[in-house]
């Protein structure tokens, strides 16, 4: 059973930066695509970014330019570098992974437990 463990959330002022990490274990060889979703209070969970095993990237329009997703396949870890953070980026950020030919934009096979990101104005 694949497990995803996130780290790196916290409190930051507007304009600041944070880096999230997500490490996969337990059968992670089956994973193709890894990415991030976020959920703000009272809102639906939304896609943020993803990266395939081969390095193809996709970003939500709201974070394009400000956020960068990367991946270390040897460590089964995906990262999300978040710069120029805004109060509207405040949310619980969830790591997501999919197996086979799918991507997390279409179907998520595994979720992390989530990490809180709070951006103060």
């Amino acid at each position: 059973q694949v497990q995803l463990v996130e780290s790196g959330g916290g409190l930051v002022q507007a304009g600041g930066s944070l880096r999230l990490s997500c490490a996969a274990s337990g059968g992670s060889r089956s994973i193709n695509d890894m990415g991030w979703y976020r959920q703000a209070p009272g809102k639906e969970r939304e896609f943020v970014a993803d990266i395939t095993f081969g390095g193809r990237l996709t970003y939500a329009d709201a974070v394009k330019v400000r956020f960068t997703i990367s991946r270390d396949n040897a460590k089964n870890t995906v990262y999300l570098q978040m710069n120029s953070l805004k109060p509207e980026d405040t949310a619980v950020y969830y790591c997501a992974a999919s197996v086979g030919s799918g991507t997390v934009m279409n179907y998520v096979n595994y979720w992390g437990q989530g990490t809180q990101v709070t951006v103060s104005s």
Side-chain angles (χ1 to χ4, degrees), residues 69-82:
I69 190 170
S70 60
R71 180 171 177 169
D72 186 334
N73 290 329
K75 295 182 178 180
N76 297 315
T77 300
V78 64
Y79 306 95
L80 186 68
Q81 178 66 42
M82 305 184 292

Side-chain angles (χ1 to χ4, degrees), residues 3 40 43 47 71-73 78 92 102 104 117 119 121:
Q3 292 184 325
K43 295 187 177 181
F47 170 80
R71 180 171 177 169
D72 186 334
N73 290 329
V78 64
V92 177
V104 297
V117 171
V119 184
S121 58

Side-chain angles (χ1 to χ4, degrees), residues 100-121:
S101 60
T103 71
V104 297
M105 289 184 68
N106 299 316
Y107 187 79
V108 177
N109 292 99
Y110 304 103
W111 290 101
Q113 80 283 358
T115 185
Q116 177 70 47
V117 171
T118 303
V119 184
S120 63
S121 58

Side-chain angles (χ1 to χ4, degrees), residues 32-33 37 50 52 56 97-108:
N32 171 39
D33 190 55
Y37 278 73
D50 77 321
T52 65
R56 187 182 68 203
S98 65
V99 301
S101 60
T103 71
V104 297
M105 289 184 68
N106 299 316
Y107 187 79
V108 177

Side-chain angles (χ1 to χ4, degrees), residues 4-88:
L4 304 176
V5 179
E6 301 110 331
S7 61
L11 173 65
V12 65
Q13 289 187 333
S17 299
L18 282 175
R19 188 192 194 206
L20 306 183
S21 300
C22 171
S25 62
S28 57
R29 284 187 176 183
S30 63
I31 293 174
N32 171 39
D33 190 55
M34 297 184 74
W36 297 89
Y37 278 73
R38 67 185 182 184
Q39 188 166 19
K43 295 187 177 181
E44 293 187 354
R45 194 172 296 191
E46 64 177 4
F47 170 80
V48 175
D50 77 321
I51 179 169
T52 65
F53 186 87
R56 187 182 68 203
L57 312 175
T58 307
Y59 292 96
D61 288 343
V63 306
K64 203 172 292 184
V65 176
R66 299 187 298 122
F67 290 10
T68 302
I69 190 170
S70 60
R71 180 171 177 169
D72 186 334
N73 290 329
K75 295 182 178 180
N76 297 315
T77 300
V78 64
Y79 306 95
L80 186 68
Q81 178 66 42
M82 305 184 292
N83 298 328
S84 302
L85 282 161
K86 305 175 181 179
E88 51 262 45

